[in-house]
Amino acid sequence: MQNQYISENKARFLDELFEILRIPSISADKQFAGEVRKTAEFVKEKLIAAGAENVTLEETNGNPIVYGDKLIDPKLPTILVYGHYDVQPSVPDELWTTPPFEPTVRDGKIYARGACDDKGQMYMHIKAFETMIQTNSLACNVKFMIEGEEEVGSTNLGIYVMQHKEKLSADVVLISDTGMIANDIPSIDVGLRGLSYVEVEVTGPNRDLHSGVYGGAVANPINVLCTMIASMHDENRKITIPGFYDDVNDLNEADRKALNSAPFNLEAYKKDLDIDEVMGESSYTTLERTGIRPTFEVNGIWGGYIGEGAKTVLPSKAYAKISMRLIPNQKSAAIIKLFSDHFISIAPKGVKVKVIPHHGGEAAITPTDSISFKAAAKAIATTYGKAPIPTFGGGSIPIVALFEKELGVKTVLMGFGLDSDAIHSPNEHFGLFNYYKGIETIPYFYKFYAQMMAE
Ligand code: BES
Ligand code: MN
Ligand code: MN
């Protein structure tokens, strides 16, 4: 009956997703604040139309949170569905085959910024909910919390959660904002890494100088910044910040073995990225490097003259944006402090260094022996015909650790994207197969979760 409802409404489900994909809800850029709000209004309207109650835009110091619920029976378990309607910047736009906010289907995939991360996956939940309401099969109470600042660190959501513990109380948090290995190799992420994001500014002389008149005699902040950044890894690509690994526990051999038994083809990985070799911390596999090891990455670096042609200039300033991925036990605020102290300490005389913290978040592990994991695994096994493999996705969803800490609720990461969906990149896409499979699978989670909780 549910599948019939989904297939009868297939076209409309896609039209609606296209509508929301057309709104450029880029949270990183204040210019888009109006569009971000429009997107929140859209989600609100669609939640109401699907049958949710108490639907409101919860105002914050930033972008609004959309809340809505359907509480049918206090004896049934309650699922808190979390997702985000904001997206990453689309730049560089010229690398998109079709414009980022004009969704287009090619080869069975929807191309648009946010198609997978996370509008497509978030919207599956609203359509799955509509399906359960329309087919009279809603098996759990449900609360929706869809935010607009995930891509900028969820700071305001964190405050909101701490202030609304009662309202948000639930038995489990359900999130579709991660990926699977492949459509014929279903998997469930069981770990998210934490994050410390900082910006650094190196200042040399008080103004841009002629690079011939002054060059060679005055510290060039770009040269200095590059040297400083290069020193952050040693020859084994270990991070050199003193104390950085103090709270890092190595996995035991059995867990390492399990992690490395997930299907992974290094040759295909390299081929997909067009690289002749991978690079990372020695003595760890690629799956370990992206799943359970901390990292230090420059996300952007700039300064001086970057316009057309050549300009001989010794710049006054250089900048970089840096992210460090963290594993459970490392604390985001403590790592920012370690980095900041170290970075300032290695600056040579002749420059001034400023470290500006952006946002942070803690890592999270979701248990595989929980009822919620088992229900998700059974739901996926039902619709994919194969039990999902536990995996470590490597990305971060800062609110997950906070849900656990503040609400005492564990999360299940039932993601339907693929690594190859190019999230955060040009030509982000989401398979039509994945979109409809998600809508089909989610109601089974509700059903099995209610059944298993009652046992
Ligand atoms: N959906 C991603 C997180 C993700 C992607 C987890 C794939 C696992 C696999 C999320 O929207 C995201 O991009 N988070 C940011 C963190 C945020 C604080 C900017 C990230 O991981 O960079
Ligand atoms: Mn996301
Ligand atoms: Mn993202």
Side-chain angles (χ1 to χ4, degrees), residues 101-213:
F101 298 103
E102 290 175 25
T104 312
V105 173
R106 282 198 301 281
D107 304 329
K109 297 172 194 120
I110 309 154
Y111 284 82
R113 170 57 83 232
C116 173
D117 183 13
D118 180 42
K119 284 173 174 169
Q121 298 208 64
M122 174 273 289
Y123 206 66
M124 294 176 331
H125 282 272
I126 300 182
K127 294 300 99 177
F129 172 66
E130 175 191 319
T131 301
M132 292 185 279
I133 294 285
Q134 292 300 323
T135 56
N136 242 317
S137 57
L138 185 64
C140 296
N141 300 306
V142 56
K143 298 177 178 177
F144 290 94
M145 190 171 63
I146 314 296
E147 72 149 320
E149 298 189 325
E150 195 277 341
E151 299 292 8
V152 290
S154 302
T155 311
N156 290 306
L157 180 69
I159 297 167
Y160 179 83
V161 169
M162 287 190 255
Q163 291 170 343
H164 296 85
K165 292 187 189 183
E166 196 59 39
K167 180 180 173 110
L168 300 174
S169 69
D171 296 284
V172 65
V173 178
L174 177 62
I175 303 179
S176 297
D177 192 21
T178 52
M180 285 192 178
I181 297 174
N183 283 338
D184 56 352
I185 313 173
S187 61
I188 297 182
D189 272 350
V190 295
L192 292 165
R193 287 191 289 185
L195 186 72
S196 294
Y197 203 109
V198 296
E199 191 165 324
V200 297
E201 181 190 295
V202 178
T203 306
N206 61 3
R207 60 187 187 275
D208 285 5
L209 304 174
H210 188 291
S211 69
V213 176

Side-chain angles (χ1 to χ4, degrees), residues 18 137 143 208 271 339 344 401 455:
F18 270 38
S137 57
K143 298 177 178 177
D208 285 5
K271 188 158 183 267
F339 165 79
I344 290 166
E455 274 165 15

Side-chain angles (χ1 to χ4, degrees), residues 440-455:
E440 184 192 333
T441 306
I442 291 163
Y444 283 108
F445 174 80
Y446 283 61
K447 179 179 165 196
F448 297 142
Y449 186 64
Q451 278 173 3
M452 291 177 182
M453 287 290 277
E455 274 165 15

Side-chain angles (χ1 to χ4, degrees), residues 84 86-88 117-118 150-151 177 396 423-424 428:
H84 62 96
D86 65 320
V87 298
Q88 287 272 323
D117 183 13
D118 180 42
E150 195 277 341
E151 299 292 8
D177 192 21
S396 309
I423 63 173
H424 296 203
E428 175 179 354

